[in-house]
Amino acid sequence: QVHLVESGGDLVKPGGSLRLSCAASGFTFSDYYMSWIRQAPGKGLEWVSYISNSGSTIYYADSLKDRFTVSRDNAKNSVYLQMNSLKDEDTAVYYCARGGGSGRGFFDNWGQGTLVTVSS
Amino acid sequence: EIVLTQSPGTLSLSPGERATLSCRASQSVSSNYLAWYQQKPGQAPRLLIYGASSRATGIPDRFTGSGSGTDFTLTISRLEPEDFAVFYCQQYGSSPRTFGQGTKVEIK
């Protein structure tokens, strides 16, 4: 079955950087868009970014596109989120999810999430 | 950006009762590309409904999605103990993808 495992979450100081990874298994990874969604403590869901199956189409939430970069390696069945210039408000659980693309923009499988804490 | 507003914020009901959750969009959702998710404490969200009314794999038929345009509804016909959770709607008719703020269904 579909399995998504995020890693890379950590405690980081404001202004720092972090790279999250998501390893996928149980499906043909190169056939699917992948997305990142985050959830601040006690808050709702916030969509962050999606990347097309080939990596040629990428979209970010407007408030994040200058600091976050999504990428994927289909040979490794993995998607990544590079986060730079981190702020306190970036503190959240970051989920990777399958989906996000045109016509199939819902998220049918989610990882368990990885916690990013931005604090001095 | 399409803003989704969910109501009510909290719904207090007893097992066996019917739950009706609303999701209103700030503009029409293209092709009724609206999904619903359930999230329990400490867990990742789970897809319930996509395309406004199609149940995801393995979702019981007590969960029904309806609506079109700007007004959408998730109905749980008879609440089971395991249904109490937070529910989110999400639109994917346009980018950026957006979520509603959530409705908590709690035990009365």
Side-chain angles (χ1 to χ4, degrees):
Chain A
Q1 75 273 26
V2 175
H3 201 44
L4 300 170
V5 179
E6 302 93 338
S7 60
D10 204 349
L11 171 64
V12 60
K13 288 181 168 50
S17 297
L18 209 55
R19 188 195 197 209
L20 306 183
S21 300
C22 172
S25 61
F27 65 102
T28 304
F29 182 72
S30 58
D31 284 349
Y32 288 86
Y33 277 57
M34 296 296 294
S35 296
W36 288 95
I37 297 137
R38 70 182 183 179
Q39 186 170 36
K43 303 298 184 183
L45 301 170
E46 179 185 16
W47 173 79
V48 171
S49 177
Y50 69 64
I51 183 168
S52 65
N53 52 331
S54 67
S56 60
T57 300
I58 289 172
Y59 208 104
Y60 299 98
D62 284 346
S63 60
L64 301 174
K65 60 185 173 185
D66 293 335
R67 299 187 295 120
F68 287 15
T69 303
V70 66
S71 61
R72 66 188 294 160
D73 185 338
N74 286 345
K76 294 183 177 179
N77 287 353
S78 293
V79 61
Y80 308 98
L81 185 67
Q82 176 69 41
M83 303 184 295
N84 298 328
S85 303
L86 283 162
K87 306 175 181 181
D88 290 352
E89 54 264 37
D90 295 319
T91 293
V93 173
Y94 284 74
Y95 295 102
C96 94
R98 190 175 78 169
S102 178
R104 197 179 166 81
F106 52 89
F107 310 110
D108 62 359
N109 286 272
W110 298 61
Q112 277 306 111
T114 188
L115 177 62
V116 173
T117 303
V118 184
S119 175
S120 54
Chain B
E1 170 176 324
I2 294 179
V3 177
L4 299 178
T5 302
Q6 293 186 238
S7 61
T10 302
L11 204 48
S12 298
L13 295 168
S14 301
E17 289 194 294
R18 180 185 188 92
T20 303
L21 288 66
S22 173
C23 176
R24 178 162 291 177
S26 60
Q27 55 189 279
S28 184
V29 177
S30 175
S31 301
N32 296 326
Y33 282 160
L34 193 287
W36 290 93
Y37 302 85
Q38 176 190 51
Q39 187 179 33
K40 299 178 182 179
Q43 296 185 17
R46 175 177 71 146
L47 175 69
L48 299 175
I49 301 288
Y50 62 94
S53 60
S54 296
R55 271 185 293 274
T57 303
I59 301 304
D61 59 8
R62 64 180 181 272
F63 291 92
T64 301
S66 62
S68 64
T70 60
D71 289 297
F72 299 88
T73 301
L74 175 68
T75 302
I76 311 171
S77 58
R78 294 172 312 279
L79 282 163
E80 297 287 340
E82 63 269 26
D83 296 338
F84 292 89
V86 180
F87 294 82
Y88 295 94
C89 58
Q90 176 241 334
Q91 67 80 23
Y92 53 100
S94 63
S95 294
R97 310 312 189 202
T98 50
F99 289 91
Q101 83 279 18
T103 290
K104 182 178 182 180
V105 179
E106 64 177 22
I107 299 177
K108 186 174 182 181

